[in-house]
Amino acid sequence: MASEGVHESDDVSDETDDHRPAPEPRGDAVTAAVAAGPSNGESVRVDSWIWSVRLVKTRSMGAAACKGGHVRVNGERVKPAHSVRVGDEVRLRHEGRERIVVVKRVIRKRVGPPVAAECFVDNSPPPPPRETVAPAGIRDRGTGRPTKRDRRELERLRDLPAAGSPDDAPDPHRGARGTARHDTRRGTRR
């Protein structure tokens, strides 16, 4: 039972028995980035770092970008195992866009987007505007394949030349109407 004035749920002392540091407040980006960093001055691979700061979706995509020559550190093409240091400029060409970042903090583990944004300075040019593309002919469920008439209407909407347009070269095996010539008496081709 509890003694006078002190309930069982009250914390009598601030010390814990296992000498662990108190948990750090959540949302502190700097603390989380420090915790994700390498210990004892270890280096971090460039493929791991670009994955950790969320420039690529997977580490293997980071390694593939390095192998393909799409990653440059301080102007040099690098292999996936190249070490990254604070102050390095990393250029990454990924998904048709070039990202230029300067390393502020070296981390090894993948962290959330707010924490990742604290680990680099983004000097990238703005992304190109998205082109407004018309939907690709959405059809009702169960209507089946589009007919030739439907296909031609879709091509007209998309401003594509039709398959049988006058721009195409004439087919020598086709008649004036664009169909194969048949002998009407016997049902055979001429």
CSV table of all heavy atoms in Angstrom, one decimal, residues 10-32:
chain,number,residue,atom,x,y,z
A,10,ASP,N,2.7,8.2,-8.3
A,10,ASP,CA,3.6,9.3,-8.3
A,10,ASP,C,5.0,8.8,-8.4
A,10,ASP,O,5.4,7.8,-7.8
A,10,ASP,CB,3.4,10.1,-7.0
A,10,ASP,CG,2.1,10.9,-7.0
A,10,ASP,OD1,1.5,11.1,-8.1
A,10,ASP,OD2,1.7,11.3,-5.9
A,11,ASP,N,5.9,9.6,-9.1
A,11,ASP,CA,7.3,9.3,-9.2
A,11,ASP,C,8.0,9.9,-8.0
A,11,ASP,O,8.1,11.2,-8.0
A,11,ASP,CB,7.8,9.7,-10.5
A,11,ASP,CG,9.2,9.2,-10.8
A,11,ASP,OD1,9.7,8.4,-10.1
A,11,ASP,OD2,9.8,9.7,-11.8
A,12,VAL,N,8.6,9.2,-7.2
A,12,VAL,CA,9.2,9.7,-6.0
A,12,VAL,C,10.6,10.3,-6.3
A,12,VAL,O,10.9,11.4,-5.9
A,12,VAL,CB,9.4,8.6,-4.9
A,12,VAL,CG1,10.1,9.1,-3.7
A,12,VAL,CG2,8.0,8.1,-4.5
A,13,SER,N,11.4,9.6,-7.2
A,13,SER,CA,12.7,10.1,-7.5
A,13,SER,C,12.8,10.2,-9.1
A,13,SER,O,12.1,9.5,-9.8
A,13,SER,CB,13.8,9.2,-7.0
A,13,SER,OG,13.7,8.0,-7.7
A,14,ASP,N,13.7,11.1,-9.5
A,14,ASP,CA,13.9,11.3,-10.9
A,14,ASP,C,14.9,10.3,-11.5
A,14,ASP,O,15.1,10.2,-12.7
A,14,ASP,CB,14.4,12.7,-11.2
A,14,ASP,CG,13.3,13.8,-11.0
A,14,ASP,OD1,12.1,13.4,-11.0
A,14,ASP,OD2,13.6,14.9,-10.7
A,15,GLU,N,15.6,9.6,-10.7
A,15,GLU,CA,16.6,8.7,-11.1
A,15,GLU,C,16.0,7.4,-11.5
A,15,GLU,O,15.0,7.0,-11.0
A,15,GLU,CB,17.7,8.4,-10.0
A,15,GLU,CG,18.4,9.7,-9.6
A,15,GLU,CD,19.4,9.4,-8.5
A,15,GLU,OE1,19.9,8.2,-8.5
A,15,GLU,OE2,19.7,10.3,-7.8
A,16,THR,N,16.6,6.7,-12.5
A,16,THR,CA,16.2,5.4,-12.9
A,16,THR,C,17.2,4.4,-12.5
A,16,THR,O,18.4,4.7,-12.2
A,16,THR,CB,16.0,5.3,-14.4
A,16,THR,OG1,17.2,5.6,-15.0
A,16,THR,CG2,14.9,6.3,-14.9
A,17,ASP,N,16.8,3.2,-12.4
A,17,ASP,CA,17.7,2.1,-11.9
A,17,ASP,C,18.7,1.7,-12.9
A,17,ASP,O,19.8,1.2,-12.6
A,17,ASP,CB,16.9,0.9,-11.4
A,17,ASP,CG,16.0,1.2,-10.2
A,17,ASP,OD1,16.4,2.1,-9.5
A,17,ASP,OD2,15.0,0.6,-10.0
A,18,ASP,N,18.4,1.8,-14.2
A,18,ASP,CA,19.3,1.2,-15.2
A,18,ASP,C,20.3,2.3,-15.8
A,18,ASP,O,21.0,2.0,-16.8
A,18,ASP,CB,18.5,0.5,-16.3
A,18,ASP,CG,17.5,1.5,-16.9
A,18,ASP,OD1,17.3,2.6,-16.5
A,18,ASP,OD2,16.8,1.0,-17.9
A,19,HIS,N,20.4,3.5,-15.3
A,19,HIS,CA,21.3,4.5,-15.8
A,19,HIS,C,21.2,4.8,-17.2
A,19,HIS,O,22.2,5.2,-17.9
A,19,HIS,CB,22.7,4.1,-15.4
A,19,HIS,CG,22.9,3.9,-13.9
A,19,HIS,ND1,22.8,4.9,-13.0
A,19,HIS,CD2,23.1,2.7,-13.2
A,19,HIS,CE1,23.0,4.3,-11.8
A,19,HIS,NE2,23.2,3.0,-11.9
A,20,ARG,N,20.1,4.7,-17.9
A,20,ARG,CA,19.9,5.1,-19.2
A,20,ARG,C,19.7,6.6,-19.3
A,20,ARG,O,19.0,7.2,-18.4
A,20,ARG,CB,18.7,4.4,-19.9
A,20,ARG,CG,19.1,3.0,-20.3
A,20,ARG,CD,17.9,2.4,-21.1
A,20,ARG,NE,17.0,1.9,-20.1
A,20,ARG,CZ,15.7,1.6,-20.3
A,20,ARG,NH1,15.2,1.9,-21.5
A,20,ARG,NH2,14.9,1.1,-19.4
A,21,PRO,N,20.1,7.3,-20.4
A,21,PRO,CA,19.8,8.7,-20.5
A,21,PRO,C,18.3,8.9,-20.7
A,21,PRO,O,17.6,8.0,-21.3
A,21,PRO,CB,20.6,9.2,-21.7
A,21,PRO,CG,20.9,7.9,-22.5
A,21,PRO,CD,20.9,6.8,-21.5
A,22,ALA,N,17.8,10.0,-20.3
A,22,ALA,CA,16.4,10.3,-20.5
A,22,ALA,C,16.1,10.3,-22.0
A,22,ALA,O,16.9,10.8,-22.8
A,22,ALA,CB,16.0,11.6,-19.8
A,23,PRO,N,14.9,9.9,-22.4
A,23,PRO,CA,14.5,9.9,-23.8
A,23,PRO,C,14.5,11.4,-24.3
A,23,PRO,O,14.0,12.3,-23.6
A,23,PRO,CB,13.2,9.3,-23.9
A,23,PRO,CG,12.6,9.3,-22.5
A,23,PRO,CD,13.8,9.3,-21.6
A,24,GLU,N,15.0,11.6,-25.5
A,24,GLU,CA,15.0,12.9,-26.1
A,24,GLU,C,13.7,13.3,-26.6
A,24,GLU,O,12.9,12.4,-27.0
A,24,GLU,CB,16.1,12.9,-27.2
A,24,GLU,CG,17.5,12.9,-26.6
A,24,GLU,CD,18.4,12.2,-27.4
A,24,GLU,OE1,18.3,12.2,-28.7
A,24,GLU,OE2,19.4,11.6,-26.9
A,25,PRO,N,13.3,14.5,-26.6
A,25,PRO,CA,12.0,14.9,-27.1
A,25,PRO,C,11.9,14.6,-28.6
A,25,PRO,O,12.8,14.8,-29.3
A,25,PRO,CB,11.9,16.4,-26.8
A,25,PRO,CG,13.4,16.8,-26.7
A,25,PRO,CD,14.1,15.7,-26.2
A,26,ARG,N,10.7,14.1,-28.9
A,26,ARG,CA,10.4,13.8,-30.3
A,26,ARG,C,10.3,15.1,-31.2
A,26,ARG,O,9.9,16.1,-30.6
A,26,ARG,CB,9.2,13.0,-30.5
A,26,ARG,CG,9.4,11.6,-29.9
A,26,ARG,CD,8.1,10.8,-30.2
A,26,ARG,NE,8.4,9.5,-29.6
A,26,ARG,CZ,8.3,8.4,-30.4
A,26,ARG,NH1,8.0,8.4,-31.6
A,26,ARG,NH2,8.6,7.2,-29.8
A,27,GLY,N,10.6,15.0,-32.4
A,27,GLY,CA,10.5,16.2,-33.3
A,27,GLY,C,11.8,17.0,-33.4
A,27,GLY,O,11.9,17.9,-34.1
A,28,ASP,N,12.8,16.7,-32.6
A,28,ASP,CA,14.0,17.4,-32.7
A,28,ASP,C,14.9,16.8,-33.8
A,28,ASP,O,15.5,15.8,-33.7
A,28,ASP,CB,14.7,17.3,-31.3
A,28,ASP,CG,16.0,18.2,-31.2
A,28,ASP,OD1,16.2,19.0,-32.1
A,28,ASP,OD2,16.7,18.0,-30.3
A,29,ALA,N,14.9,17.5,-34.9
A,29,ALA,CA,15.6,17.0,-36.1
A,29,ALA,C,17.1,16.9,-35.9
A,29,ALA,O,17.7,15.9,-36.4
A,29,ALA,CB,15.3,18.0,-37.3
A,30,VAL,N,17.7,17.8,-35.2
A,30,VAL,CA,19.1,17.7,-35.0
A,30,VAL,C,19.5,16.5,-34.2
A,30,VAL,O,20.4,15.7,-34.5
A,30,VAL,CB,19.6,19.0,-34.3
A,30,VAL,CG1,21.1,18.9,-34.0
A,30,VAL,CG2,19.4,20.2,-35.2
A,31,THR,N,18.7,16.2,-33.1
A,31,THR,CA,19.0,15.1,-32.2
A,31,THR,C,18.9,13.8,-33.0
A,31,THR,O,19.7,12.8,-32.9
A,31,THR,CB,18.1,15.1,-31.0
A,31,THR,OG1,18.2,16.3,-30.4
A,31,THR,CG2,18.4,14.0,-30.1
A,32,ALA,N,17.8,13.7,-33.8
A,32,ALA,CA,17.6,12.5,-34.6
A,32,ALA,C,18.7,12.3,-35.7
A,32,ALA,O,19.1,11.2,-35.9
A,32,ALA,CB,16.2,12.5,-35.3
